[in-house]
Amino acid sequence: MMRSWIHFTRGRFVRQARVGLGELREEHLSRHGFAGPVAMLYRTDGPNEVVRIEGDYRPRQIDSADVVAADAGDPRGGPLTLLSNEDVAIAISRRRQAMPYCYRNIDGDLLYFVHRGNGLFATEFGPLRYEPGDYILLPKGTTFRLMPDDQDSLLLVVEAPQPIRLCEHEQVGRHTPVDPTVLQVPDVADYEWPKQDEWEIRIKHKGAHTSIFYRNNPMNVVGWKGDLFPFKLNVRDIRPIMSDRIHLAPSSWVTFEGTGFVVLSFLPQIAVGDLNAEELPSYHRNIDMDEVMLTHADEDPQDRRPGGFAFTPQGVLHGVNEAFRAEFQARRITGTRRTRTGIGVDSYRPLNVSPEFARMTE
Ligand SMILES: [Fe+2]
């Protein structure tokens, strides 16, 4: 990572970023997420009062419930990709019926996040039942069947050609923000599925599908060992890193990391107690990262409706607007709780907007 060590100051600025701003508005202009060279820019006007946008390079927002994926109506259908680049693809599955085949993705790891619905990931390692708030990581090539219980489900699907790993936050110990033993790892099971003459494994490779049919049920594994396995983690088992005196940059909330992207969990937590410190995400231009956010839940849904799916391309100023900031600051008292749960995917290389997502955000 490019690092610099020369800092300058000019004009009006605060001694400690994010603290004691008074009438100033602070904009965080940074490279490499929030880890690289940075400038704080100070203004007395709100920097994010958008009047209009002309052109295609802009934030895009939809209600994820409006996504019509092929797997909603066709059990052999797939999720709908909204955004992708060489490192990561972000899709939404609305699968209503069980896969009538076993599935194997050779294009990379699959990380599911369950926004809505319950069901079963039947894997060759054993069953993983799922519920809202679950992340399910399926390493590349894992054989599985997705078998939802409900009629309605909404799953975020993150696919990456390079391995997706649980992020280790080295400076805060081995059990923070996730104790690794809270991960749920499948144990072998006999699925007791009715006998079949042949068993289909539907394989995805370079985006295309091939089916190989086997005489014996490929899910009949009677034991396994090793350090390559699927697992699940519910967001309620993540204990967010926080500070009472300063709003932490989102990199502290990374849950998974892959080559060229990270997956973040924004979780309910107590707001910064120091009323002199900015609580809200500062105005920022994350100049090296595209940002994607699914609002999973909000205990105070008047503010932000769960299910919102937002895309902010790198370099576009965001944060809040002045009206929201003023209202939030006015009702903020020590001990205020932030109520939102959001799942973020931030990528270094720019994401391409799929034709379907573009149409939905025209
Ligand atoms: Fe951001």
Side-chain angles (χ1 to χ4, degrees), residues 121-282:
F121 278 91
T123 82
E124 58 194 320
F125 292 76
L128 284 171
R129 280 210 59 83
Y130 68 83
E131 62 178 316
D134 276 344
Y135 284 110
I136 294 99
L137 181 66
L138 301 168
K140 176 180 177 178
T142 303
T143 315
F144 71 99
R145 267 180 92 183
L146 174 50
M147 307 174 78
D149 291 347
D150 304 327
Q151 281 301 295
D152 193 21
S153 70
L154 201 155
L155 311 174
L156 186 73
V157 191
V158 178
E159 178 184 338
Q162 299 299 320
I164 303 174
R165 304 170 299 274
L166 201 61
C167 176
E168 189 176 354
H169 293 265
E170 291 172 17
Q171 291 170 330
V172 293
R174 303 296 302 275
H175 304 103
T176 312
V178 175
D179 186 328
T181 58
V182 305
L183 301 183
Q184 292 187 43
V185 177
D187 196 359
V188 290
D190 181 351
Y191 289 106
E192 297 179 350
W193 293 334
K195 283 217 172 330
Q196 294 180 201
D197 291 339
E198 56 183 29
W199 294 85
E200 178 182 1
I201 298 187
R202 186 167 158 83
I203 295 174
K204 177 162 160 281
H205 178 246
K206 292 188 175 176
H209 286 94
T210 295
S211 288
I212 302 180
F213 296 82
Y214 291 93
R215 182 67 57 215
N216 299 318
N217 182 351
M219 306 287 267
N220 275 351
V221 171
V222 296
W224 64 266
K225 62 180 222 171
D227 61 356
L228 180 69
F229 46 80
F231 65 83
K232 79 164 185 168
L233 167 68
N234 194 283
V235 287
R236 68 172 164 266
D237 287 329
I238 303 172
R239 301 193 176 251
I241 299 168
M242 48 194 279
S243 163
D244 194 40
R245 299 187 63 208
I246 193 164
H247 177 80
L248 297 184
S251 24
S252 58
W253 302 316
V254 172
T255 304
F256 295 94
E257 56 190 1
T259 300
F261 73 99
V262 293
V263 178
L264 308 102
S265 310
F266 297 83
L267 297 169
Q269 56 183 280
I270 302 298
V272 172
D274 183 344
L275 296 180
N276 203 28
E278 292 286 292
E279 166 55 24
L280 292 167
S282 52

Side-chain angles (χ1 to χ4, degrees), residues 62-63 65-66 115 294-298 300-309 340:
I62 56 168
D63 185 338
D66 293 336
H115 174 60
L294 172 70
T295 303
H296 169 57
D298 199 324
D300 183 12
Q302 276 93 332
D303 281 349
R304 287 157 298 206
R305 205 148 65 93
F309 181 94
R340 185 189 200 189

